[in-house]
Amino acid sequence: MKKCFKIASRKFFSHFRYFAELPPNIDFDEEEYADLLLKCVEDNFDYTIEMYGTVPSKSHWEYKDLEVIID
């Protein structure tokens, strides 16, 4: 794995709070995939859902707007 791919994956996970599916072929272009992940973060839209079948984690969306009150 190249450094650019690792950084892009971390940024994607930090933004969406779930991991994107990898392309189905084992010898995919990591640079191109890293660019796609960074584009997803910049556009605030996950293109990997349609392209690679990523299933977003529901737990993040369920608890996203909850307030924590400590008494």
Side-chain angles (χ1 to χ4, degrees):
M1 249 187 251
K2 297 180 181 176
K3 186 176 182 180
C4 182
F5 175 73
K6 287 182 181 181
I7 292 170
S9 295
R10 288 180 186 146
K11 286 184 179 182
F12 183 93
F13 180 79
S14 294
H15 185 77
F16 291 106
R17 289 299 196 209
Y18 57 85
F19 291 103
E21 286 291 325
L22 294 172
N25 52 340
I26 195 145
D27 59 346
F28 65 94
D29 184 2
E30 290 181 6
E31 295 285 329
E32 183 179 312
Y33 186 69
D35 290 340
L36 175 66
L37 294 180
L38 293 175
K39 180 176 174 28
C40 291
V41 171
E42 289 173 7
D43 295 349
N44 193 29
F45 184 81
D46 185 2
Y47 298 104
T48 66
I49 292 173
E50 289 185 17
M51 295 176 79
Y52 305 117
T54 299
V55 178
S57 171
K58 294 179 182 170
S59 62
H60 169 68
W61 303 114
E62 291 173 5
Y63 302 112
K64 183 178 179 182
D65 298 324
L66 292 179
E67 291 184 36
V68 177
I69 300 173
I70 301 174
D71 190 20

